[in-house]
Amino acid sequence: MLAELPFTTAEAIVAVHRPGARVTAKAALRTLTQKGLVSDGIGIRPRGTDGRVAGGGHVYSSLNLDAVRLHRHGDDDAARELARAAAAIERDDATRALATALAAAYRGGRSLPAALASVAPELLTPVVAATRRAHADAPVFARVARVDGEMVELRLEHGDAVVAVPRADLVGVLTIETGEGANLRWESLGGGMTLLHTAPAIEVAGGASTHPYDRPLPSRENAPEIPGVLRMAPTMRPAPFGIPLADSQ
Amino acid sequence: MELPQPSARRLGAADSMLLARFRCSTGAWFEDEVERFVRRPLLRRDAERRPHTGHTVVGLELPRHGLVAVGAHEEDLLRDGGALVRGTLLVVAAVAVGAQGAAVGGVPSLDADGRPVTVGRYLLAALIADARRTDRAPVFRAVVARENARSLALCRRSGLVHVVPDADARFVQCVGVLGAS
């Protein structure tokens, strides 16, 4: 099952904040953080092959990507709310544990997606699930289906639709291997213009998340067992007064 | 504090801004999760699931207080041995910070001890009343954080008195059966 990367980088945040602009990530991010539009992120101290700390890095909850999108669209209240949700996820024990494992996985110049993919699933899944729960929009996932000259065809996970993206736009973002997962977000700019952001996705263990808000549609297979429910005597009484319910506006 | 009887309304996509401003958390982790869920993902979930489960979002509103409570219900499937029961899942029930603990004036008590009806109790009654209009069995289930003493007490008073563990160790399932009126 594909999922959005739970972490992103300063460069990616700045790129989403100002698509196509050439800005220094450090300065731009400092301004966004000071305004409460981006969270503080987590320090990652990867180790070199000799086991010693090799440089330092910083990753951010991927919710910050949505936060800067909302800011760009003028909804700073929603952007700050997402940045606060990002900060809460970054402070969480499960995220700290993932960051520790990520530092160990960041050997030999691995990319962030590759490093995350190598981390134990039980460390990755809770953070992925928490990130997904905080999103307002459901992400769209696709897989690399075919490379046709200068275009890469991405087949959407649900249905048969194919999205063609210029190969040049994906260099450095995906490895562009058949079957590789990608996360797609479209932004409508009006006037027939649409901005497509393609980001790597990772495989996470299949099966339902256990959080109540994450559970799949009810089915015979996932129905919880409540022994004796068919023989339970009534424990609830209807209200003795009517509660009229108007339809949505 | 006593509030007038709120009006109940099904909420939809047009209410996204209304929900985006809803506040119900006083700082506990489970309250934070409910608030984040209600403010944005709830309507997305509603749109995705309504065609399959009859997912319905209900809001309680007052003229001078705005949205005082939000809840949702949908079709639920439970197993009892080999048998499948199609009941109702109370997906979420949240009371705005300013209305927590407030009594609803002008409605008879729902409890044998004559306790005033709180906004939370009224919200559950509204969700249950709406679910009764479907053809589901009169079995109701809510999944509540173990640490959420207030919601567990609300479930007990509302008759969801059978408490069993949930697949997620942080939560329990509260189950009740609605009798005939």
Side-chain angles (χ1 to χ4, degrees):
Chain A
M1 186 174 81
L2 288 175
E4 185 175 8
L5 298 187
F7 293 147
T8 188
T9 62
E11 289 73 22
I13 293 172
V14 169
V16 168
H17 175 228
R18 294 185 59 189
R22 292 182 186 277
V23 294
T24 307
K26 204 169 174 178
L29 209 62
R30 186 166 48 238
T31 303
L32 290 168
T33 308
Q34 284 170 349
K35 292 180 178 178
L37 297 165
V38 168
S39 58
D40 290 335
I42 308 168
I44 300 287
R45 296 171 63 80
R47 295 189 178 270
T49 51
D50 61 358
R52 288 190 287 185
V53 172
H58 224 73
V59 293
Y60 299 81
S61 166
S62 59
L63 290 179
N64 287 295
L65 297 174
D66 276 356
V68 295
R69 276 192 197 97
L70 287 165
H71 167 60
R72 180 155 44 77
H73 288 285
D75 193 348
D76 277 7
D77 285 345
R80 288 196 176 91
E81 184 182 332
L82 261 184
R84 283 194 293 271
I89 287 178
E90 288 167 1
R91 284 193 301 268
D92 190 73
D93 288 344
T95 306
R96 295 282 165 181
L98 176 60
T100 302
L102 188 63
Y106 244 143
R107 291 173 188 268
R110 256 175 169 169
S111 68
L112 178 58
L116 281 168
S118 71
V119 167
E122 57 268 24
L123 292 176
L124 185 59
T125 304
V127 185
V128 166
T131 304
R132 182 175 57 229
R133 277 197 299 279
H135 272 301
D137 302 315
V140 176
F141 294 110
R143 293 186 185 272
V144 175
R146 196 165 74 105
V147 179
D148 183 8
E150 293 307 307
M151 300 299 286
V152 176
E153 292 182 2
L154 303 171
R155 183 174 299 281
L156 299 191
E157 270 227 305
H158 299 290
D160 289 326
V162 170
V163 176
V165 180
R167 185 193 179 109
D169 288 348
L170 298 179
V171 169
V173 176
L174 304 180
T175 56
I176 315 179
E177 295 173 354
T178 304
E180 181 183 6
N183 168 24
L184 308 180
R185 286 192 187 270
W186 284 269
E187 287 180 62
S188 172
L189 303 177
M193 291 183 286
T194 306
L195 176 65
L196 170 63
H197 180 211
T198 307
I202 50 170
E203 299 278 357
V204 292
S209 159
T210 62
H211 192 285
Y213 297 151
D214 278 344
R215 292 177 190 173
L217 292 171
S219 68
R220 176 176 287 274
E221 289 69 36
N222 64 30
E225 177 79 31
I226 308 288
V229 67
L230 282 172
R231 296 178 298 283
M232 279 182 192
T235 55
M236 302 164 65
R237 291 180 301 169
F241 50 84
I243 304 179
L245 204 60
D247 284 331
S248 59
Q249 292 172 347
Chain B
M1 179 174 69
E2 185 175 281
L3 293 173
Q5 189 172 357
S7 60
R9 177 169 69 85
R10 293 186 187 88
L11 304 183
D15 299 299
S16 61
M17 292 302 295
L18 184 65
L19 284 173
R21 293 187 292 268
F22 186 76
R23 293 216 174 274
C24 63
S25 177
T26 60
W29 68 265
F30 43 84
E31 293 176 349
D32 284 349
E33 287 201 344
V34 169
E35 182 175 285
R36 275 199 294 270
F37 176 64
V38 166
R39 284 161 73 94
R40 290 195 183 272
L42 174 59
L43 283 183
R44 164 172 62 79
R45 176 192 167 104
D46 183 64
E48 289 171 357
R49 293 171 80 100
R50 194 177 326 123
H52 308 284
T53 66
H55 191 283
T56 303
V57 180
V58 174
L60 300 183
E61 295 173 294
L62 282 167
R64 288 170 53 191
H65 299 267
L67 187 65
V68 295
V70 179
H73 69 84
E74 67 174 357
E75 181 178 288
D76 191 23
L77 286 179
L78 303 175
R79 280 188 296 116
D80 185 356
L84 210 58
V85 180
R86 196 165 64 93
T88 294
L89 177 69
L90 299 171
V91 176
V92 66
V95 179
V97 170
Q100 288 174 7
V104 176
V107 298
S109 175
L110 293 167
D111 297 307
D113 60 5
R115 181 195 295 246
V117 178
T118 61
V119 172
R121 190 85 161 83
Y122 192 89
L123 173 65
L124 279 203
L127 292 172
I128 292 165
D130 192 47
R132 284 185 74 203
R133 298 186 184 104
T134 69
D135 59 353
R136 303 171 196 154
V139 178
F140 290 79
R141 184 171 70 105
V143 182
V144 182
R146 287 180 184 274
E147 296 170 52
N148 193 345
R150 189 189 308 188
S151 289
L152 289 172
L154 177 60
C155 284
R156 271 196 307 275
R157 281 204 304 279
S158 301
L160 285 81
V161 296
H162 297 282
V163 181
V164 297
D166 185 65
D168 189 317
R170 297 169 297 169
F171 297 89
V172 292
Q173 304 179 79
C174 303
V175 182
V177 177
L178 183 66
S181 51

